[in-house]
Amino acid sequence: MGKDDIESLSKNPNVQAQPSSTSTMSLEKHDEAIIGPTKPKENPKWAFWRRNKDPYSGKRYFDAGYWYRRPKREYIEKEFQGFPIAVDVTEYPHRDIYGRVTVQKKDVLQYISPTESTPRPLLVQATPEVMKTQPAGDWRRVKLDGKVPRVLKISEWALQRGNFCLRWLRIILVVPVILILLSLPLDKAWDDAEFDESYTEFPNYSWDYPKHARNRLDARPSNERNAENASVRSGIKTPDVSSKVRLLRPRLLVVLNNGSWELTSDTSRIPYTFISFTASHFPFRSSKTVTVEKAVSAQETLEEFARGKTLEAGLKAYWIDFRCCAPNEETELHTADVHRMCDVIRSAEQVLVLLPELSRQRKLEWGARMWTLPEALLARKQEITFCSPTDTTIISKLAMADQVWDDGDAADGDHQPTRLLAEHYSSVLTLGRLELFTIALEALVHRQQNGTFYPGDIAYALMGLLHKRIQHDRSDSLFQSLAKLSLANDSDRLIERMVCMFPPPSPLAQNPYNPKQQEQENLFLALTAPDQYHTQLWDIEPLCQVAGVAVEDQTLILDSCRGVSIRWKAFPQMKYKRSYGFRKLIAEVVLRSGAFWSGLGLGLIIKYAWDFNNKTYSDNPHFGANFPNTEDWSNDVGLIFLGALAVIFAFLLSLGAPAAVRRLYGGRVMQSAPWLVGFEGVIPAKDLEILIFGNCEGRLTYDPSSTPFCDRDPDERIGVEPLWVSSPGKYPRPALPPGHRLFTLVDTG
């Protein structure tokens, strides 16, 4: 990681969008399980003081040694699309890594303090340009500033370029101040300081039970869980309807028996056909647009169609969903029948696709449905029979990728998920576990989901293509279902890899059947595609592990994840180790010897001038009374003259004090204290270095591949400062998605 990273962050939790993504924690009401929220006691004595404590007043306040400005209510409400912001005086509990419980109000953005391990209001430093032109988000702001020793600031002010005479005048003026500051223990010395060589860790621990835990002992205890554990311990299996149990034979079949077609549960050793169709071609369910009479007529047409084609195939039994699945009123059994349909397909002798006509458009309409994709891929034979009332044709799985399935943007050769799946299930190529999960998910998301009952139906359709299965949970969102499915299967740590991805912010095509689900589809699909760094999932080697899926949507609980706290409120005073060269030795001699020579000279002048003034005079008449002795007079004058020379020499040496201070605090940095410091906005590297270190000696460089905004040298892998940063106003800034802002991350380690 480079010394100066520029990042586009967002408030969207899907992409870790808040600037305190590694050190921010929301105080949610589910923490009431620890200690319930409490209302602070009203005290009329402090009514006036509380009136000035509106967290969204937009005014300046002083706290913890910093003057900061609070966000404006009008801007926050606009940013959150008109949602009114009310002052919440409820105090919410938080349990830190040591188990201590503290309370904090849920007003502005909070972060976990690495020193106290408790939540505190987030204070973000911002550049002057951002402070003037852009209102704050739901965090407090402070002016961007560094912590540079005063003696170095004064020296740099004196040495700044300008008029030659003014420069020397500044040097003469600051010399006494520099010597005084160096003699007082107010500023830290320039000697190398000891520091911790590791970054400040993020002090956070999740005390919440996961909704779906990898380890059963981590799950929330409940009556159902206790009953399940008891059944496991006793060896007695609970007779629940489960989507996880594989079917060796269909639960029900329509069988020709003594000249009549009957629905039977005795399905052992009966070969059958699987009937596939879509509701758009045969509207067999009554709805607002389909009357009951029309739905019944469609069912009769389908059954007559299926019976005739089954007999043509030489079989006397078939499976069709509206006859062989449980009715919708029996929710659990119906859901289990739908999710175990993949077993019915695998056991079928033949898959028959019923269409009104064998036109390409009808085939494409059938292939565009989500549930029809596994119906063709899981067929036992490599050929699928497409039937119309007057004709029949056979199409192989590989040919279906061209005639039936439309991948849309397959022209570039990178996005052909159904083609790859057809080759995999035709044994032409073998997809890895990670590739199979991601490619199948991409193919299913692009299919229409007409008739979905629950948000996680895509996950359960994908489940039929994988080894391990999950139990249906109607309260799961799409993200939770897919995450649970990935954890259940050996998908090469897919979810752990997704955590490290930086998906593009551009939305995909909207889902007209379920707009609320589109955001989660976009998120999971974007995480399976190359991210903004053009990184694939298989390029990442995760070092952490997902311990479970949280109750909050789009949230995971990580284990063995080492986070680093980002310091947002201010730059600390830098501690570093530097090379000790000859020039640094000369600079130190100049400062230390200047004080010595000035002290020696002033001492000689004061002592012998006093002695000269109080000398005992001779009584020699030739020289007259009260005339001093010539030998003593010459010795005193000589010593006074030597003292004056020493003072002049010290003064000349002190004129080099500002340059010596610059050299002593500068030099080649061999190692510095590791910090991750962030601020809102961007600033040229040279100005930032002066702000942090006091002067500019090229200590900060841009990382060439840290963010999509980085510029690189064409010949060497060296980061180059973007022109829109070094010359603001002359070059256009990169376009950011709505709601996104630019933040700069500085790595001093």
Side-chain angles (χ1 to χ4, degrees):
M1 188 177 293
K3 296 287 181 77
D4 188 5
D5 287 342
I6 301 177
E7 290 187 333
S8 171
L9 301 179
S10 167
K11 288 188 158 187
N12 191 337
N14 300 342
V15 291
Q16 304 299 330
Q18 296 181 354
S20 53
S21 60
T22 60
S23 58
T24 304
M25 180 178 180
S26 299
L27 299 172
E28 301 292 344
K29 286 194 174 182
H30 65 267
D31 287 335
E32 297 175 13
I34 303 174
I35 292 179
T38 59
K39 292 282 186 179
K41 295 181 179 180
E42 295 291 335
N43 189 346
K45 180 180 179 181
W46 303 103
F48 176 78
W49 177 255
R50 286 196 307 273
R51 191 162 56 247
N52 296 329
K53 284 294 185 178
D54 183 4
Y56 300 101
S57 62
K59 299 180 180 179
R60 296 184 70 227
Y61 291 91
F62 183 82
D63 185 27
Y66 297 95
W67 282 101
Y68 67 90
R69 185 175 293 278
R70 294 178 177 175
K72 291 184 178 180
R73 183 183 307 276
E74 296 79 7
Y75 180 79
I76 297 297
E77 292 179 352
K78 179 181 178 181
E79 186 167 317
F80 286 96
Q81 300 179 353
F83 185 78
I85 302 297
V87 179
D88 189 358
V89 297
T90 305
E91 295 179 341
Y92 292 85
H94 171 265
R95 188 183 295 275
D96 61 18
I97 58 175
Y98 305 108
R100 302 171 302 185
V101 177
T102 56
V103 293
Q104 182 63 263
K105 294 180 180 179
K106 186 181 175 182
D107 42 20
V108 295
L109 192 63
Q110 307 283 325
Y111 80 106
I112 304 298
S113 171
T115 55
E116 302 176 4
S117 302
T118 57
R120 295 184 59 83
L122 181 63
L123 195 64
V124 179
Q125 53 183 345
T127 61
E129 179 188 5
V130 171
M131 295 281 285
K132 294 178 181 178
T133 60
Q134 192 173 18
D138 56 341
W139 56 83
R140 298 174 176 180
R141 267 184 180 171
V142 66
K143 182 181 178 182
L144 178 64
D145 196 8
K147 194 173 182 182
V148 180
R150 286 182 291 270
V151 64
L152 181 58
K153 283 185 176 181
I154 295 173
S155 300
E156 291 297 330
W157 175 79
L159 295 175
Q160 63 182 337
R161 295 182 179 181
N163 185 274
F164 179 80
C165 297
L166 290 177
R167 184 180 184 183
W168 278 104
L169 179 60
R170 290 195 300 267
I171 291 175
I172 294 173
L173 291 176
V174 302
V175 163
V177 180
I178 292 176
L179 296 178
I180 294 174
L181 289 176
L182 291 176
S183 63
L184 298 176
L186 299 177
D187 284 276
K188 294 183 179 180
W190 52 80
D191 295 334
D192 294 341
E194 297 295 331
F195 52 82
D196 191 358
E197 297 183 3
S198 61
Y199 290 88
T200 304
E201 294 188 0
F202 176 47
N204 192 27
Y205 182 85
S206 177
W207 298 92
D208 296 330
Y209 283 109
K211 184 176 184 180
H212 304 292
R214 185 188 290 269
N215 184 352
R216 175 176 293 182
L217 298 179
D218 291 335
R220 182 187 298 274
S222 62
N223 295 333
E224 293 78 12
R225 177 64 65 182
N226 294 336
E228 183 180 355
N229 292 339
S231 65
V232 171
R233 289 193 298 269
S234 62
I236 302 174
K237 186 176 180 180
T238 305
D240 293 333
V241 179
S242 174
S243 302
K244 300 171 65 175
V245 179
R246 294 179 177 271
L247 293 176
L248 298 179
R249 298 292 298 172
R251 194 174 59 84
L252 297 173
L253 281 177
V254 180
V255 181
L256 179 62
N257 186 15
N258 297 326
S260 63
W261 295 88
E262 300 175 353
L263 187 67
T264 179
S265 60
D266 184 11
T267 62
S268 60
R269 299 182 181 181
I270 300 179
Y272 62 93
T273 61
F274 180 89
I275 306 300
S276 176
F277 65 96
T278 66
S280 61
H281 295 162
F282 302 95
F284 66 97
R285 289 193 183 95
S286 59
S287 62
K288 294 181 180 180
T289 58
V290 179
T291 62
V292 176
E293 294 78 8
K294 188 175 181 181
V296 172
S297 176
Q299 291 182 9
E300 294 175 352
T301 302
L302 272 172
E303 291 211 71
E304 290 295 328
F305 200 172
R307 293 166 184 172
K309 295 302 178 182
T310 299
L311 293 176
E312 288 182 12
L315 301 174
K316 296 182 179 180
Y318 64 88
W319 189 98
I320 193 168
D321 62 353
F322 64 84
R323 288 292 305 277
C324 300
C325 285
N328 294 341
E329 291 75 17
E330 301 178 23
T331 307
E332 296 297 331
L333 185 56
H334 175 81
T335 302
D337 284 341
V338 172
H339 294 165
R340 294 183 295 181
M341 194 185 301
C342 55
D343 298 326
V344 179
I345 301 170
R346 289 186 175 97
S347 301
E349 293 292 327
Q350 192 172 356
V351 173
L352 302 180
V353 179
L354 306 186
L355 300 175
E357 57 184 28
L358 292 181
S359 63
R360 176 175 172 79
Q361 180 61 32
R362 295 296 188 181
K363 295 175 185 177
L364 290 175
E365 291 173 356
W366 176 87
R369 300 301 182 186
M370 181 183 69
W371 288 100
T372 59
L373 180 63
E375 291 174 1
L377 293 175
L378 298 177
R380 180 185 300 181
K381 297 181 179 180
Q382 295 300 322
E383 294 81 17
I384 307 299
T385 303
F386 285 79
C387 308
S388 71
T390 59
D391 198 4
T392 300
T393 184
I394 297 176
I395 306 176
S396 67
K397 294 179 183 179
L398 291 177
M400 289 177 64
D402 177 59
Q403 301 178 27
V404 179
W405 293 319
D406 184 12
D407 281 332
D409 53 354
D412 59 357
D414 290 333
H415 300 283
Q416 303 182 57
T418 51
R419 172 70 183 186
L420 294 174
L421 289 175
E423 293 178 354
H424 175 76
Y425 284 95
S426 300
S427 301
V428 176
L429 62 82
T430 301
L431 297 175
R433 297 185 298 266
L434 185 61
E435 292 177 309
L436 177 60
F437 193 102
T438 57
I439 291 173
L441 175 61
E442 183 178 1
L444 289 172
V445 168
H446 279 119
R447 319 226 85 74
Q448 297 178 9
Q449 303 163 42
N450 190 19
T452 55
F453 293 93
Y454 301 104
D457 276 358
I458 293 180
Y460 299 109
L462 176 62
M463 179 177 67
L465 304 177
L466 304 177
H467 178 206
K468 296 289 186 179
R469 302 183 182 179
I470 57 176
Q471 182 63 35
H472 177 256
D473 189 339
R474 68 183 67 184
S475 65
D476 281 346
S477 67
L478 175 61
F479 181 89
Q480 292 170 334
S481 299
L482 288 172
K484 183 171 63 172
L485 180 62
S486 175
L487 293 178
N489 287 272
D490 185 7
S491 56
D492 282 341
R493 305 179 72 184
L494 171 68
I495 301 298
E496 286 85 348
R497 297 171 190 264
M498 285 184 172
V499 173
C500 305
M501 300 287 284
F502 187 27
S506 56
L508 303 176
Q510 290 296 317
N511 182 355
Y513 297 97
N514 196 345
K516 294 182 179 180
Q517 194 173 339
Q518 182 66 31
E519 180 183 353
Q520 297 190 18
E521 293 177 7
N522 290 351
L523 168 64
F524 226 99
L525 185 58
L527 289 173
T528 60
D531 65 358
Q532 295 192 48
Y533 301 101
H534 304 284
T535 301
Q536 300 278 2
L537 284 171
W538 42 84
D539 296 329
I540 297 173
E541 187 64 31
L543 300 178
C544 61
Q545 184 180 24
V546 174
V549 183
V551 177
E552 294 82 8
D553 194 13
Q554 304 183 21
T555 305
L556 300 172
I557 299 177
L558 300 180
D559 190 18
S560 302
C561 180
R562 300 180 65 86
V564 178
S565 293
I566 301 179
R567 184 182 174 93
W568 291 96
K569 60 183 178 181
F571 280 95
Q573 183 168 341
M574 291 293 105
K575 297 179 181 179
Y576 38 78
K577 297 178 181 179
R578 295 152 298 183
S579 59
Y580 194 90
F582 181 74
R583 287 184 292 180
K584 186 175 180 181
L585 176 62
I586 295 299
E588 192 166 358
V589 168
V590 167
L591 284 180
R592 298 188 185 278
S593 62
F596 169 76
W597 288 112
S598 61
L600 177 62
L602 291 175
L604 289 174
I605 292 174
I606 293 173
K607 175 177 175 53
Y608 289 100
W610 176 267
D611 290 346
F612 179 78
N613 190 45
N614 295 282
K615 276 292 184 178
T616 303
Y617 292 93
S618 172
D619 294 332
N620 191 334
H622 296 285
F623 294 93
N626 301 327
F627 195 83
N629 185 278
T630 303
E631 183 178 356
D632 293 340
W633 179 84
S634 59
N635 290 336
D636 292 345
V637 171
L639 292 173
I640 293 173
F641 181 72
L642 288 177
L645 290 178
V647 171
I648 295 173
F649 183 65
F651 175 74
L652 295 177
L653 286 176
S654 63
L655 292 178
V661 169
R662 170 187 284 182
R663 181 59 193 172
L664 289 173
Y665 280 96
R668 182 182 302 172
V669 176
M670 308 301 294
Q671 187 180 6
S672 62
W675 288 93
L676 283 180
V677 186
F679 61 88
E680 186 178 358
V682 295
I683 188 174
K686 60 179 182 179
D687 298 337
L688 183 61
E689 185 177 353
I690 293 174
L691 196 69
I692 300 175
F693 296 96
N695 52 26
C696 181
E697 295 186 0
R699 302 180 184 90
L700 297 180
T701 57
Y702 282 84
D703 191 283
S705 56
S706 58
T707 72
F709 299 101
C710 294
D711 288 347
R712 294 175 290 275
D713 185 90
D715 300 324
E716 295 182 279
R717 189 179 173 276
I718 300 175
V720 179
E721 186 171 60
L723 295 177
W724 57 272
V725 176
S726 58
S727 302
K730 295 183 179 180
Y731 298 92
R733 291 193 171 212
L736 298 178
H740 287 231
R741 300 189 181 191
L742 284 172
F743 290 84
T744 302
L745 185 63
V746 181
D747 182 8
T748 65

